[in-house]
């Protein structure tokens, strides 16, 4: 009867191709792992056998000239092992997790593969050497030259790879010695950390590295070893942990690592920086250490792919396993350090909700459990909590709508209806409290910043080189060189004009430090009022704030407007003619009266000839300015000055307000909400 003939070329062609450097080096790693197994076979009967693996690499930069030799002093390719080598998909190493396909990756990746070996048979040395070919008719061809066997003193094997064959391997294989060593160390790091197995010497163009010394020498303290309790899916997982110097993570993504092993081989590392939380581990008097854990178990052995390059598991399942192991490590191995970190993280969270109270909608422990353990920054806390905030708001909204529907439909209500209404009202109240706190915290910070900036400018005196501080103060209140109604600058037009007048909190119809020639459709000059507000200020304009972006009736002219000038805090000299505040203000008014302001959607708002202008000058009334205002009336508190204009500007006024009065008034307008949010004006800010 005929038998099924193996198609080796097709079998090799169907092997998974590498998509990264680690996978491209997997065929070499297979050869090194085979060498280690061969040494272990000798040590089963001769435990004192000093196993060694020598790896020589040349021509890394040229895929056609790449030459790699892997030499071991293991048991050699005896008859039994040679027979297994000749069998496709052999189960010879099944108990070690061998899939019987590792050497097929050699054919896939390298152009030329040769194997030479010495072994003992009946206490006599024997040799065999052959070329390993990608061919359906002949895969092993006797090699009479045996160029490399002289490197094997007793028993052992030499595997020689020349040239990269397949395109993906040529693209992904490392082209530098440094990159080669990084990935080599990372792949075998589990063996090297535990300092088990043979000595390995890696020689790349004469540059040598010795293992496990190069890695095990980075370990600080004794390793941790423990097994988890039985998990319903993962079973029992054994974890061996190491605290290492940071160099142990060279070439790996992240600092703290879990190495997932299957059948004794490191399949893939996973960074756990965020899950572990702590930036560095401290041990034995050293603070700048990293954690490496080696994870083994039957679950991983069962789910590794045939090339042992990845696991046949969904990414979500691997992440679940990683989280399970990391929690065990935090609880068993790094207990004290995790406790210290947890307390510091808790303080970070308290600072976060103090600054952003809207996220303080559940108790502290609940909120901390909802965010990743590695979360420390405000952005990280907010990202983790925002979905819960949305769910909470949606649930509250649905509850309220249910109550409203019951009332509207006239349905019979249960005896507990009052409780339902009260609960809905409480939910609204709680939401309002958090929103209010968020609003007030920001205002408090802005006012404190304003006070400190004013104090800083005063302390600097009247130095000409510090003009940028005056611009900074202006920009804090409202951005400069901006027309707030410009639809292309909507994001940039955010401001804090509520500090000047609460009615201006949401206005967009203003120009800040813009030439009147830009603000007016025609007729303006280069003079620039610090701030001109012409609508959206409750009685100062004609546009309904709810009509954002919509058409509005521009047939009625503008009859009220506001102008604000900011003078440098602490300024005492007003020597020039243009420093006369009344002259400066009336110059603006003459250009504005009977003009047209270009507003929303390029429409124009006419300024009525009898438009009333409310003009304010924010300044420290001292020096020349105090003399200039000597004939003006004082304001109600006796600190400011006010002047009613006459003739062509009849009805308009100019009021000079002290900087400190502006700040105090802003604080006073917010004192009720500050108290409601449990906040108060800091004593330092008052001084």
């Amino acid at each position: 009867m005929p038998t099924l003939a193996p198609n080796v070329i097709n079998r090799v062609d169907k092997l998974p191709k590498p998509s990264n450097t680690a996978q491209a080096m997997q065929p070499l790693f297979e050869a090194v792992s085979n060498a280690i197994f061969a040494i272990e076979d000798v040590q089963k009967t001769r435990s004192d056998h000093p196993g060694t693996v020598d790896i020589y690499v040349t021509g890394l930069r040229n895929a056609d000239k790449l030459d790699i030799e892997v030499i071991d002093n293991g048991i050699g390719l005896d008859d039994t092992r040679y027979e297994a080598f000749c069998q496709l998909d052999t189960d010879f190493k099944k108990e070690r997790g061998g899939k019987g396909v590792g050497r097929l990756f050699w054919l896939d990746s390298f152009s030329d593969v040769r194997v030479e070996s010495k072994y003992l048979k009946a206490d006599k040395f024997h040799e065999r050497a052959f070329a390993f070919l990608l061919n359906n008719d002949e895969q092993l061809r006797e090699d009479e030259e045996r160029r490399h066997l002289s490197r094997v003193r007793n028993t052992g094997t030499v595997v020689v790879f020349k040239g990269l064959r397949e395109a993906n391997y040529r693209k992904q294989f490392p082209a530098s010695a440094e990159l080669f060593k990084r990935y080599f160390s990372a792949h075998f790091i589990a063996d090297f950390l535990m300092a088990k197995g043979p000595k390995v010497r890696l020689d790349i163009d004469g540059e040598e590295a010795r293992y496990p010394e190069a890695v095990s020498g980075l370990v600080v303290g004794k390793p941790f070893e423990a097994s988890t309790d039985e998990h319903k899916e993962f079973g029992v997982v054994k974890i061996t942990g190491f605290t290492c110097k940071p160099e142990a993570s060279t070439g790996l993504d992240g600092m703290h690592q879990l190495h997932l092993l299957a059948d004794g081989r490191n399949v893939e590392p996973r960074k756990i920086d965020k899950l572990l939380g702590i930036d560095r581990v401290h041990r034995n008097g050293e603070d700048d250490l990293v954690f490496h854990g080696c994870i083994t178990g039957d679950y991983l052995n069962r789910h590794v792919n045939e090339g042992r390059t990845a696991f046949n598991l969904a990414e979500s399942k691997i992440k679940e396993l990683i989280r399970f192991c990391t929690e065990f490590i935090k609880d068993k191995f790094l207990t004290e350090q995790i406790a210290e970190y947890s307390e510091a993280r808790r303080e970070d969270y308290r600072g976060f909700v103090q600054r952003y109270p809207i996220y303080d909608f559940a108790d502290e422990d609940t909120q901390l459990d909802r965010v990743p353990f590695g979360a420390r920054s405000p952005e990280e806390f907010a990202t983790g909590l925002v979905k819960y905030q949305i769910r909470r708001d949606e649930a509250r909204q649905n509850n309220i709508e249910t109550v409203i529907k019951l009332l509207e439909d006239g349905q019979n209500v249960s005896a507990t209806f009052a409780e339902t209404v009260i609960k809905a009202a409480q939910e609204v109240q709680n939401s309002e409290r958090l929103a209010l706190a968020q609003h007030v915290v920001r205002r408090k910070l802005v006012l404190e910043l304003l006070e400190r900036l004013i104090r800083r400018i005063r302390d600097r005196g009247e130095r000409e080189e510090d003009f940028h501080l005056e611009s900074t103060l202006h920009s804090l209140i409202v951005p400069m060189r901006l027309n707030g109604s410009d639809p292309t600058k909507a994001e940039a037009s955010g401001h804090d004009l509520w500090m000047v007048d609460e009615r201006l909190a949401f206005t967009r119809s203003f120009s800040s430090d813009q030439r009147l020639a830009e603000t007016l459709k025609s007729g303006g000059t280069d003079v620039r009022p610090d701030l001109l507000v012409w609508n959206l200020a409750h009685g100062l304009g004609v546009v309904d704030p709810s009509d954002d972006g919509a058409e509005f009736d521009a047939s009625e002219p503008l009859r009220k407007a506001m102008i604000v000038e900011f003078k440098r805090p602490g300024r005492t000299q007003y020597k020039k003619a243009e420093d006369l505040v009344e002259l400066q203000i009336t110059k603006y008014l003459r250009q504005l009266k009977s003009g047209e302001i270009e507003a929303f959607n390029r429409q124009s708002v006419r300024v009525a000839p009898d438009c009333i202008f409310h003009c304010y000058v924010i300044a420290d009334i001292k020096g020349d300015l105090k003399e200039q205002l000597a004939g003006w009336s004082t304001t109600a508190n006796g600190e400011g000055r006010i002047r009613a204009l006459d003739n062509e500007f009849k009805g308009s006024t100019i009021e000079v307000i002290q900087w400190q009065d502006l700040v105090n008034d802003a604080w006073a307008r917010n004192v009720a909400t500050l108290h409601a949010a449990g906040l108060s004006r800091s004593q330092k800010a008052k001084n």
Side-chain angles (χ1 to χ4, degrees), residues 295-357:
I295 312 301
T296 58
D298 291 340
Y299 181 81
L300 292 174
N301 296 342
R302 291 196 308 270
H303 290 92
V304 70
N305 67 8
E306 67 174 2
R308 276 169 291 188
T309 59
F311 292 99
N312 298 318
L313 291 167
E315 178 63 18
S316 60
K317 192 57 62 179
I318 294 178
K319 288 182 176 179
E320 183 183 346
L321 173 63
I322 293 294
R323 286 193 296 270
F324 172 68
C325 293
T326 304
E327 289 303 314
F328 183 84
I329 289 166
K330 291 192 296 187
D331 184 51
K332 298 293 184 181
F333 297 161
L334 304 173
T335 311
E336 292 184 6
Q337 293 175 66
I338 294 300
E340 293 171 4
Y341 168 82
S342 296
E343 187 56 37
R345 176 173 175 260
R346 187 177 294 273
E347 288 301 316
D348 290 339
Y349 172 77
R350 288 168 180 167
F352 163 70
V353 294
Q354 186 177 11
R355 187 175 291 262
Y356 302 99

Side-chain angles (χ1 to χ4, degrees), residues 4 11 22 112 197 200 221 277 279 305 397 407 413 502 525 569 581 583 595 627 639 665:
L4 295 176
R11 177 76 171 85
D112 189 323
V200 178
D279 182 49
N305 67 8
Q397 184 74 14
L407 295 173
V413 295
E502 200 66 48
T525 66
V581 293
L583 178 63
E627 295 298 322
E639 298 295 330
D665 181 62

Side-chain angles (χ1 to χ4, degrees), residues 483 485 519-521 534 596-600 602-605:
N483 187 316
S485 63
T519 303
L520 296 175
K521 193 169 184 180
W534 60 83
E596 290 185 353
I597 297 173
E598 192 167 78
F600 296 104
R602 303 300 180 188
Q603 295 192 67
S604 298
V605 180

Side-chain angles (χ1 to χ4, degrees), residues 81 91 141 160 213 218 240 299 311 412 419 453 464 478 493 510 535 565 570 576:
R81 289 166 176 78
D91 61 358
R141 180 183 299 160
V160 182
E213 294 86 352
L218 301 175
T240 306
Y299 181 81
F311 292 99
N412 292 328
E419 295 178 8
L453 185 56
E464 290 295 327
V478 58
S493 63
F510 65 86
N535 60 22
E565 278 294 309
K576 301 176 182 176

Side-chain angles (χ1 to χ4, degrees), residues 407-427:
L407 295 173
E408 287 180 344
D409 294 348
Q411 299 179 30
N412 292 328
V413 295
S414 66
T416 60
F417 180 70
E419 295 178 8
T420 304
V421 173
I422 291 171
K423 182 180 178 182
Q426 287 175 338
E427 288 174 349

Side-chain angles (χ1 to χ4, degrees), residues 189-331:
I189 192 170
D191 293 315
F192 296 153
L193 281 173
M194 292 185 280
K196 70 176 186 179
K199 301 285 186 180
V200 178
R201 182 163 63 97
L202 174 61
D203 184 303
I204 304 177
D205 291 324
E207 184 179 333
E208 187 177 285
R210 291 183 179 270
Y211 301 92
E213 294 86 352
V215 173
S216 62
L218 301 175
V219 176
V220 176
K222 293 181 179 181
F224 306 101
E225 285 190 345
S227 295
T228 68
D229 293 332
E230 182 84 22
H231 186 276
K232 63 180 180 180
E233 185 171 1
F234 307 136
V236 175
V237 180
K238 182 180 179 181
I239 304 176
T240 306
F242 303 86
T243 48
C244 310
K245 295 179 181 178
E247 298 92 302
S249 298
T250 301
L252 296 171
D253 179 21
M255 298 304 296
H256 305 300
Q257 303 285 329
L258 285 188
H259 304 279
L260 303 181
L261 281 66
D263 303 311
R265 297 193 190 181
N266 192 8
V267 178
E268 62 176 300
R270 289 293 182 111
K271 68 176 179 180
I272 57 170
D273 296 18
K274 287 293 185 183
L275 291 174
L276 200 59
I278 54 178
D279 182 49
R280 289 290 190 271
V281 176
H282 56 79
R283 195 177 189 194
N284 291 1
E286 297 191 43
D287 296 324
D288 190 27
L289 303 179
V290 297
F291 184 88
H292 282 255
C294 299
I295 312 301
T296 58
D298 291 340
Y299 181 81
L300 292 174
N301 296 342
R302 291 196 308 270
H303 290 92
V304 70
N305 67 8
E306 67 174 2
R308 276 169 291 188
T309 59
F311 292 99
N312 298 318
L313 291 167
E315 178 63 18
S316 60
K317 192 57 62 179
I318 294 178
K319 288 182 176 179
E320 183 183 346
L321 173 63
I322 293 294
R323 286 193 296 270
F324 172 68
C325 293
T326 304
E327 289 303 314
F328 183 84
I329 289 166
K330 291 192 296 187
D331 184 51

Side-chain angles (χ1 to χ4, degrees), residues 37-233:
F37 286 153
I39 290 169
E40 290 175 350
D41 286 343
V42 174
Q43 292 172 338
K44 289 177 181 178
T45 56
R46 294 168 48 201
S47 59
D48 60 343
H49 177 65
T52 60
V53 179
D54 293 327
I55 306 163
Y56 296 91
V57 183
T58 59
L60 266 181
R61 296 188 179 279
N62 189 325
D64 295 318
K65 295 183 178 181
L66 177 65
D67 192 307
I68 302 176
E69 298 176 18
V70 180
I71 308 167
D72 69 69
N73 64 345
I75 200 166
L77 204 58
D78 58 21
D79 292 344
T80 303
R81 289 166 176 78
Y82 181 66
E83 182 181 347
F85 190 99
C86 295
Q87 183 180 1
L88 200 65
D89 296 312
T90 177
D91 61 358
F92 179 71
K93 296 178 182 176
K94 184 177 180 180
E95 73 280 1
R96 290 173 170 174
K99 308 293 184 181
V101 297
R103 64 203 182 288
L104 296 184
F105 284 92
W106 300 353
L107 296 177
D108 194 30
S109 53
F110 295 105
S111 302
D112 189 323
V113 182
R114 297 179 183 272
V115 181
E116 302 179 17
S117 187
K118 283 184 183 180
Y119 60 95
L120 278 173
K121 182 178 180 181
D123 294 330
K124 291 184 179 180
F125 287 106
H126 296 266
E127 300 176 355
R128 60 168 41 99
F130 55 88
F132 190 29
L133 308 172
L134 181 58
N135 192 306
N136 282 337
D137 299 324
E138 181 186 30
Q139 291 85 43
L140 286 83
R141 180 183 299 160
E142 188 74 20
D143 184 358
E144 297 294 340
E145 295 185 11
R146 305 188 178 188
R147 303 175 188 174
H148 307 282
L149 270 176
S150 60
R151 293 177 179 267
V152 180
R153 293 184 179 180
N154 295 306
T155 61
T157 302
V158 182
V159 180
V160 182
F161 304 116
K162 293 182 181 292
L164 289 168
R165 185 187 72 82
E166 202 271 337
N168 291 282
Y169 285 94
R170 295 171 72 93
K171 178 181 178 181
Q172 300 292 345
F173 207 83
S176 70
E178 184 62 31
L179 194 60
F180 189 103
K181 285 192 291 186
R182 285 183 189 177
Y183 279 92
F184 182 83
S185 298
H187 183 80
F188 292 102
I189 192 170
D191 293 315
F192 296 153
L193 281 173
M194 292 185 280
K196 70 176 186 179
K199 301 285 186 180
V200 178
R201 182 163 63 97
L202 174 61
D203 184 303
I204 304 177
D205 291 324
E207 184 179 333
E208 187 177 285
R210 291 183 179 270
Y211 301 92
E213 294 86 352
V215 173
S216 62
L218 301 175
V219 176
V220 176
K222 293 181 179 181
F224 306 101
E225 285 190 345
S227 295
T228 68
D229 293 332
E230 182 84 22
H231 186 276
K232 63 180 180 180
E233 185 171 1

